Amino acid sequence: MSTTSLPASDRSPRLREALLAAAFTADGLLDLLGAPAYAALARSETVPALRATRGGAPLDTLVRLFLLQRPVPYERARAALPLAECIEDGWVVQEDDEVRATVDVRPYSGPEDQDWFIVSDLGCAVGGAGGIGSHEEGVVLGVGGASTTLAGITVRKPVASALDLGTGSGIQALHASQHATRVTATDLNPRALVFTRLTLALSGATPADLREGSLFEPVGTETYDLIVSNPPFVISPGARLTYRDGGMGGDELCRTLVQQAGDRLNEGGYAHFLANWQHVDGEEWQDRLRSWVPRGCDAWIVQREMQDITQYAELWLRDSGDHRTDPAQYAARYDAWLDEFEAHKTKGVGFGWITLRKSRSSAEDPSIVIEEWPHPVEQPLGEAVEAHFARQDYLRTHDDAALLADHFTLAPEVMQEQVGLPGAEDPEHVVLRQNRGMRRATKVDAVGAGFAGVCDGTLPAGRILDAIAQLMNEDPVLLRDRTPQAIRLLVGEGFLEPAGQA
């Protein structure tokens, strides 16, 4: 698909002013459509939104034009837009007495309620009017669940340089532009770079350094303080669709991306990826991912979901609209997918987050945490990610004696639950539960519950254990010997915080 037919961004400020004047924003859409129609639009159901936009106000017109992608009367378009400029720049085209959009323009609310706009190909806004459906090679998708997940887990702190690898419609570059002095965005698809420029311009953000090419090829040996990537991670037979298929066989693209990131990170820098990985017969998936982590980096890898090979193949066949094609063709493509998995002895596919941090201390003693956590979390998680690595640094530099000499506080919004039969004198077990961040829950014994309950930063851990030993008629020496591992678990998972870091 050509890039010459895409809009020009030179006069985007004028278009942005018109969109804002009409309240064509995330909040404005919710006010106009109401919660049910707004939610239906996210499910690719357009009838409620069409009913809600039957008026002639500029906002009605813009929703129909750019979100529902329906032609609108010329006079209504002229009342909502600087129409002559929009036609000349290619945002819309005139057909007789009607106007239709050439691209999808979707309001998106930034982390500080900025009014942003994500520009993508028509019918390609994930969860939008057209859904994903069946696409030509080279199309550029809009913002979807994967995009917002990656944006949410990214550590947001001021940095000199950021790299958005595989930028697509530019949402990660847009986020990075708020806290990075210099943003570089790359993509194998030249159309994606045009859409990223449009997204940044229409959102009023600083332009990025746009480069065409695969993986790290466009940036050579340059290094960055932040790297983010929502790559084409789908494990598929071949590379039929650029926006999703890795095309390197199995999970090789994700492995290559993660391993090469270590050499492109500056000291203290973070790299965040979404990825798929194979679950292979005779191999622990955690060991597979541990081998991906580059030397000199700490890692936190979270598997959010695991699908068997039939579920996975069906998901992505539906994504590309193959379930609506000729049944024989669908069956042939399904068969090819299963052949691909058999060739790699794949029994399932995991999906999740991979975060790397370049650290001088991790060169000889890296912290690599790999876990499965399919439960709900509270986004954004960027601060929780940064806190995770700070906790690993603390635990790495504190032996048991130092741990018992230190002071701790209970993390905010941790609740205690007692689980047992009604009327029982003592609970069967106690659960500590977080109401923020990862929203973890962990079982603790009576000592662990009592210890956590009195951690307010005033007494060292060893003194607290001595008092608990006296109350429970236990040997304080034995209690001090066996408890540090439990304290490490509570600190590592964020239930307890060293008093100096709280």
Side-chain angles (χ1 to χ4, degrees):
M1 297 176 70
S2 171
T3 62
T4 57
S5 59
L6 294 178
S9 60
D10 297 346
R11 290 185 284 196
S12 295
R14 284 263 293 151
L15 175 56
R16 175 177 171 80
E17 289 174 8
L19 300 180
L20 295 178
F24 186 66
T25 63
D27 289 341
L29 288 184
L30 184 58
D31 290 341
L32 172 68
L33 301 179
Y38 191 83
L41 189 60
R43 300 190 300 270
S44 302
E45 296 291 345
T46 60
V47 172
L50 284 168
R51 291 174 61 86
T53 56
R54 289 180 291 194
L59 182 55
D60 298 312
T61 300
L62 294 174
V63 171
R64 289 193 166 223
L65 184 64
F66 288 120
L67 290 189
L68 305 180
Q69 292 153 22
R70 302 298 177 93
V72 300
Y74 178 89
E75 291 302 325
R76 288 189 179 178
R78 191 170 68 170
L81 295 166
L83 189 55
E85 290 180 7
C86 288
I87 293 174
E88 184 178 346
D89 292 346
W91 292 92
V92 298
V93 294
Q94 181 181 357
E95 296 176 344
D96 297 325
D97 59 349
E98 290 186 324
V99 171
R100 63 174 179 83
T102 62
V103 292
D104 183 293
V105 177
R106 195 152 299 256
Y108 177 77
S109 183
E112 297 178 359
D113 296 324
Q114 300 100 324
D115 290 316
W116 288 343
F117 301 96
I118 310 300
V119 188
S120 64
D121 271 310
L122 292 172
C124 297
V126 180
I132 296 182
S134 179
H135 293 325
E136 298 177 57
E137 174 69 12
V139 298
V140 177
L141 300 188
V143 60
S147 302
T148 55
T149 293
L150 179 59
I153 66 172
T154 299
V155 172
R156 302 294 176 192
K157 60 180 182 179
V159 294
S161 58
L163 171 64
D164 176 13
L165 192 152
T167 185
S169 58
I171 180 175
Q172 308 306 329
L174 180 56
H175 277 278
S177 71
Q178 304 303 293
H179 62 100
T181 303
R182 176 175 58 89
V183 177
T184 302
T186 71
D187 207 289
L188 181 63
N189 181 2
R191 286 178 64 82
L193 300 178
V194 177
F195 276 112
T196 294
R197 186 174 68 246
L198 295 173
T199 290
L200 293 171
L202 196 56
S203 299
T206 304
D209 177 7
L210 305 176
R211 305 187 194 180
E212 182 181 345
S214 178
L215 300 179
F216 288 102
E217 175 194 13
V219 300
T221 59
E222 294 176 33
T223 58
Y224 298 86
D225 302 312
L226 173 67
I227 298 172
V228 291
S229 183
N230 178 17
F233 53 68
V234 175
I235 299 170
S236 60
R240 186 160 63 100
L241 298 173
T242 302
Y243 72 87
R244 69 168 203 193
D245 297 330
M248 293 178 67
D251 52 19
E252 182 65 13
L253 183 139
C254 291
R255 182 195 67 82
T256 300
L257 188 60
V258 173
Q259 287 193 331
Q260 293 182 355
D263 291 335
R264 271 77 177 189
L265 273 179
N266 293 325
E267 180 76 21
Y270 287 88
H272 303 274
F273 309 94
L274 298 186
N276 274 173
W277 44 80
Q278 295 164 261
H279 285 236
V280 178
D281 279 333
E283 175 186 85
E284 294 294 329
W285 67 270
Q286 296 93 335
D287 293 339
R288 184 180 192 85
L289 289 171
R290 190 170 286 108
S291 73
W292 291 12
V293 178
R295 179 174 174 79
C297 289
D298 298 318
W300 184 21
I301 301 173
V302 182
Q303 179 168 280
R304 295 288 289 157
E305 183 180 6
M306 201 283 281
Q307 293 182 311
D308 67 47
I309 57 175
T310 58
Q311 291 174 313
Y312 188 81
E314 290 162 13
L315 168 68
W316 293 109
L317 286 166
R318 287 194 302 272
D319 167 84
S320 56
D322 288 308
H323 62 302
R324 294 194 293 267
T325 64
D326 173 66
Q329 182 180 348
Y330 173 82
R333 285 181 169 163
Y334 199 152
D335 215 26
W337 226 299
L338 297 185
D339 285 343
E340 170 80 7
F341 289 134
E342 285 184 13
H344 291 91
K345 298 181 180 180
T346 303
K347 61 184 179 180
V349 178
F351 166 79
W353 319 324
I354 298 176
T355 295
L356 306 177
R357 186 193 59 167
K358 189 74 169 282
S359 171
R360 187 175 293 108
S361 60
S362 65
E364 300 300 328
D365 183 24
S367 166
I368 301 176
V369 177
I370 303 173
E371 61 179 319
E372 186 168 18
W373 189 254
H375 310 294
V377 299
E378 181 192 45
Q379 286 276 34
L381 276 169
E383 290 185 2
V385 171
E386 192 171 15
H388 164 87
F389 287 99
R391 292 195 299 269
Q392 302 311 308
D393 286 343
Y394 173 85
L395 293 173
R396 184 161 44 197
T397 56
H398 285 69
D399 59 16
D400 287 355
L403 210 63
L404 293 176
D406 212 345
H407 300 63
F408 298 93
T409 59
L410 191 65
E413 299 196 43
V414 172
M415 304 298 291
Q416 175 178 301
E417 299 175 0
Q418 295 185 343
V419 181
L421 295 173
E425 184 174 346
D426 296 312
E428 292 180 14
H429 59 265
V430 175
V431 174
L432 298 181
R433 187 179 301 277
Q434 300 169 349
N435 289 319
R436 301 294 303 273
M438 292 293 287
R439 292 179 172 166
R440 297 185 185 278
T442 189
K443 285 184 183 180
V444 292
D445 59 13
V447 172
F451 180 84
V454 298
C455 278
D456 60 4
T458 58
L459 292 175
R463 290 275 303 277
I464 294 174
L465 291 178
D466 291 343
I468 292 174
Q470 185 175 8
L471 287 171
M472 300 181 69
N473 294 317
E474 290 203 32
D475 185 330
V477 175
L478 294 178
L479 192 61
R480 277 176 172 252
D481 285 344
R482 77 167 194 260
T483 305
Q485 189 58 37
I487 297 175
R488 287 186 181 278
L489 175 66
L490 293 176
V491 172
E493 293 192 344
F495 290 93
L496 294 178
E497 298 176 347
Q501 297 181 13

